[in-house]
Amino acid sequence: MAPLTLVALTEEWIMNKLGLSHQRLGDVRSLSLPGTYNQKIGYLGNGLANFERLKSLNLSHNSIVSVEGLQHLKHLQFLNLYYNCIPSLEEVKVLFELPVLRELDLRLNPLGKTDPNYRLYVVHAMASLRKLDGCLVKDAERKSAKRQYTQQRNRNNRQALLERLSRKLSLLNDTDGVELNHNGTNHRNVSYSNAELQSSHQQQAQEHQYPSSHHSGSNPVLYPSWVTEVAGTPTQAENKQQESYRKPLGELLDLLDKHWVGERTLQLNTNFLTQIVQILSVMENRIYNQDAEIKTLKEEVGALCLFAATQERQHKADVNKFTADLGELNVQLRVALEENVALRKELLTSERMYRQYMTEHPPISHNIEAQRRVEEVKEELEELRRRVKQAQSANEPPQVRADGSLNNTAAQ
């Protein structure tokens, strides 16, 4: 057996393989290049660059690893990659650029093992696809893929947003840390004893203690009006939720004041506080919007539960009605079967009596007896006719002929 040869797909190789004599490759609509035991395609490259109007392409039973080079076939509708060496779904994403691809076959490729759920992903990514791996793409399958990957995309977006906020907050903290270190360097000549530092921190804690919810308006930077204003009048639970970020922020500021040896407290640093409040306000608004969505979803769930309960009651009523109708029909069927059995018995009895009668009185003897009686009746009838004629002849007067002679019959 000849050794296996892997070839690169080129225009010259295609023309020699298929015996194409003309150079107008743009007019070719269909190509079938399946691999054999001795020769398989291992690399596509730009061999199909001039097949611009190609609609059907068969590359089955080859050793293709990457489908790079097919993305320019904008008219391609049917693509067969059955039994190749495509390793993962990343290699297939090139095909998502084909706008009119309707049928795709990826069976017996390694990606079936590395990505078992690749079908849903491909169906979601290619809206024009109608058949995948020999099976039609159903509407329910497309809806399921859309729902699954839309939720995953939303989760990824939320994760990315949280990461950006974390990086931004970290950057702000680093910037303020540099500023704090710079200010601390400028004030190195300030000497504090341990007692003075302790008394200073205690005084700062008393003067700049983080305000509670009862006197939240004392610091307009920490409590701007635009942060806590939401649509409608907030309830007590919503107020607690809006105030939830202030406690960790106050603890952070108290911690900085405790270890800070400068002259000013960070609670008076308007730039620092404004940036922190802006970041936390974004998180607050998102939390509030999510709570509103959760409330709406709970209402929808309640309505659906009520509808389901109504439907269940209606279903039970229908089932009971159908059960009663079925019982009545069973009774009627039983009566009909009993009548049928009685009629069959009567029919069998009648047939038995008829056979017995026919055995005792065969039809031939009946016919002979009837004929004999008919003959006797005929003879009696002839006898009566003859007697009537005789009686009539005896009662008629003698007839006179024209010559004056009497009728001999009358005379006699």
Side-chain angles (χ1 to χ4, degrees):
M1 179 181 293
L4 177 63
T5 304
L6 294 180
V7 298
L9 192 65
T10 61
E11 292 182 359
E12 182 179 1
W13 184 84
I14 294 174
M15 294 179 67
N16 294 332
K17 178 77 172 180
L18 301 180
L20 298 178
S21 58
H22 58 83
Q23 300 295 328
R24 299 175 62 183
L25 301 180
D27 295 336
V28 178
R29 298 292 190 273
S30 177
L31 277 180
S32 181
L33 301 171
T36 63
Y37 289 103
N38 301 328
Q39 190 178 59
K40 294 182 182 294
I41 300 173
Y43 176 70
L44 296 180
N46 297 322
L48 298 172
N50 293 324
F51 292 85
E52 300 174 353
R53 299 182 181 179
L54 193 65
K55 292 185 177 181
S56 178
L57 179 60
N58 181 10
L59 296 174
S60 61
H61 295 87
N62 283 289
S63 298
I64 299 173
V65 177
S66 173
V67 293
E68 186 74 29
L70 299 181
Q71 63 272 19
H72 63 276
L73 301 177
K74 302 302 181 182
H75 297 280
L76 191 64
Q77 298 181 5
F78 307 95
L79 177 59
N80 188 355
L81 294 172
Y82 178 84
Y83 204 174
N84 275 273
C85 300
I86 301 175
S88 65
L89 197 56
E90 293 294 328
E91 302 295 336
V92 183
K93 291 183 178 180
V94 177
L95 303 179
F96 297 167
E97 302 178 19
L98 303 179
V100 294
L101 188 64
R102 299 175 60 86
E103 293 189 16
L104 176 63
D105 197 339
L106 295 172
R107 289 175 293 178
L108 294 185
N109 277 275
L111 69 88
K113 295 182 179 179
T114 57
D115 297 295
N117 298 324
Y118 77 92
R119 180 178 177 88
L120 281 180
Y121 185 81
V122 173
V123 169
H124 172 67
M126 305 181 72
S128 62
L129 203 62
R130 296 294 178 267
K131 182 182 286 188
L132 177 61
D133 296 342
C135 298
L136 294 176
V137 178
K138 299 181 180 179
D139 293 338
E141 186 178 18
R142 194 176 297 278
K143 291 179 181 178
S144 176
K146 181 179 179 181
R147 181 169 58 254
Q148 176 177 345
Y149 286 98
T150 300
Q151 293 175 353
Q152 183 176 354
R153 184 171 61 252
N154 292 338
R155 288 194 296 268
N156 294 337
N157 292 339
R158 287 195 295 269
Q159 185 66 25
L161 178 61
L162 291 176
E163 292 177 356
R164 288 198 300 270
L165 290 174
S166 300
R167 288 195 298 269
K168 187 180 294 184
L169 182 59
S170 176
L171 180 61
L172 290 174
N173 291 336
D174 294 340
T175 304
D176 289 336
V178 172
E179 182 180 353
L180 293 175
N181 292 331
H182 177 70
N183 293 334
T185 303
N186 293 334
H187 292 85
R188 285 178 181 174
N189 55 350
V190 180
S191 61
Y192 293 93
S193 65
N194 292 335
E196 290 175 344
L197 287 175
Q198 184 176 3
S199 61
S200 175
H201 291 321
Q202 292 177 354
Q203 183 180 1
Q204 289 179 359
Q206 294 175 357
E207 292 177 355
H208 304 288
Q209 184 178 4
Y210 189 77
S212 64
S213 60
H214 298 288
H215 52 281
S216 61
S218 60
N219 192 335
V221 178
L222 281 177
Y223 300 91
S225 59
W226 56 270
V227 173
T228 56
E229 287 180 356
V230 294
T233 303
T235 61
Q236 185 176 1
E238 291 173 348
N239 287 331
K240 290 181 179 179
Q241 183 180 2
Q242 293 171 5
E243 297 288 335
S244 61
Y245 75 93
R246 296 191 177 99
K247 184 176 181 180
L249 179 59
E251 293 177 354
L252 174 62
L253 295 178
D254 291 339
L255 184 63
L256 290 175
D257 286 340
K258 181 178 179 181
H259 297 281
W260 169 237
V261 295
E263 295 180 351
R264 300 177 59 187
T265 174
L266 288 178
Q267 291 187 2
L268 300 179
N269 190 337
T270 305
N271 186 23
F272 174 75
L273 295 178
T274 302
Q275 294 175 355
I276 291 295
V277 170
Q278 287 177 353
I279 294 174
L280 294 178
S281 65
V282 172
M283 299 175 64
E284 178 186 8
N285 292 331
R286 288 183 59 83
I287 292 174
Y288 179 79
N289 294 333
Q290 290 178 355
D291 288 343
E293 293 178 0
I294 291 173
K295 183 178 179 181
T296 303
L297 290 175
K298 286 182 177 179
E299 293 176 353
E300 293 179 356
V301 168
L304 289 175
C305 291
L306 182 60
F307 178 75
T310 304
Q311 293 293 323
E312 184 177 1
R313 288 195 298 270
Q314 182 66 30
H315 176 69
K316 288 182 178 178
D318 293 340
V319 169
N320 293 333
K321 181 180 178 182
F322 292 152
T323 304
D325 294 342
L326 182 61
E328 184 178 354
L329 290 175
N330 286 332
V331 172
Q332 294 179 0
L333 179 62
R334 191 178 299 109
V335 173
L337 290 176
E338 292 175 355
E339 293 178 353
N340 187 17
V341 171
L343 290 175
R344 287 178 63 85
K345 290 181 179 179
E346 293 180 0
L347 180 61
L348 293 174
T349 304
S350 300
E351 289 181 352
R352 186 170 59 253
M353 293 175 62
Y354 176 75
R355 292 193 194 95
Q356 184 178 359
Y357 177 79
M358 294 301 295
T359 303
E360 296 176 354
H361 304 83
I364 298 176
S365 61
H366 283 276
N367 293 336
I368 296 174
E369 182 67 20
Q371 291 179 359
R372 186 179 61 78
R373 291 182 179 179
V374 168
E375 293 295 333
E376 291 179 354
V377 171
K378 285 183 178 180
E379 292 178 356
E380 292 178 356
L381 182 59
E382 290 295 333
E383 180 66 22
L384 290 174
R385 286 179 179 174
R386 185 176 60 78
R387 291 180 181 178
V388 169
K389 287 182 179 181
Q390 289 180 357
Q392 289 179 354
S393 300
N395 294 330
E396 285 183 358
Q399 297 180 357
V400 180
R401 297 183 178 178
D403 56 359
S405 62
L406 294 175
N407 191 344
N408 292 332
T409 304
Q412 292 179 357

